[in-house]
Amino acid sequence: MKPTSPADRLAQARTDDYTRRRRRVLAALVDLTRDGQPISVSAVARLDGVHRSLIYRHGDLHAAVAARAAQPPNNASGPQVSLNSLLSDLANLTERNARLAEHVARLGQRLSEAFGQDAWRATGLSR
C-alpha cells in the first residue's frame, strides 16, 4: 500500500533511508572483516559514510560492531594474539629492560672501582 499523505510519505522515506544506511553499516562490517582491518564504530562509520551516532543510537548495530570487533581476524596466518596478551608482554619486557639497565649500572660501578684500585696500586701510593 502506497503512502498517501505527506506525513506517510515522509515516514516511509525515513524508514527507507534507515534501511539503506543499516545495510551499508552491515556491509562495511563484512568489508573490514574480509580485509583484516581493525573494527571499531569509527572505522565502520568512516568506511560507510555515516555518522557514528547512527551506530550508537541503534543498539543492534552497536552490538554487531562490538561483537565483530571482539572476534580475532580470520585472515591471519599463524597464532592469534589478543590485545591483553600484547600489553602483558610489553609490561614484562619493560620490567626486564629496567632490571638489565640496573645490572649494567652495577657492573659499571664494579669495573670502575676495580680499575681505580689498580691505578692506585700502580702509582705506588698503596705501600
Side-chain angles (χ1 to χ4, degrees), residues 60-113:
D60 59 329
L61 292 178
H62 188 253
V65 171
R68 190 66 62 98
Q71 294 175 351
N74 60 2
N75 64 348
S77 60
Q80 300 296 315
V81 296
S82 68
L83 178 61
N84 287 339
S85 171
L86 293 174
L87 290 173
S88 177
D89 286 349
L90 177 63
N92 289 335
L93 291 172
T94 300
E95 180 60 32
R96 181 172 188 258
N97 190 27
R99 285 192 312 269
L100 289 174
E102 220 176 277
H103 184 68
V104 167
R106 281 193 313 269
L107 289 175
Q109 181 64 34
R110 287 178 56 195
L111 189 59
S112 174
E113 289 170 1

Side-chain angles (χ1 to χ4, degrees), residues 14-91:
R14 286 184 61 133
T15 301
D16 293 345
D17 182 54
Y18 169 70
T19 302
R20 278 190 302 277
R21 289 188 291 162
R22 177 183 174 74
R23 284 186 190 135
R24 287 187 357 224
V25 166
L26 297 175
L29 273 176
V30 170
D31 292 345
L32 288 170
T33 302
R34 180 193 63 231
D35 296 341
Q37 297 294 317
I39 297 176
S40 66
V41 171
S42 294
V44 172
R46 189 172 33 256
L47 179 65
D48 186 29
V50 299
H51 198 273
R52 292 184 319 267
S53 65
L54 171 79
I55 298 169
Y56 285 116
R57 275 194 321 264
H58 298 280
D60 59 329
L61 292 178
H62 188 253
V65 171
R68 190 66 62 98
Q71 294 175 351
N74 60 2
N75 64 348
S77 60
Q80 300 296 315
V81 296
S82 68
L83 178 61
N84 287 339
S85 171
L86 293 174
L87 290 173
S88 177
D89 286 349
L90 177 63

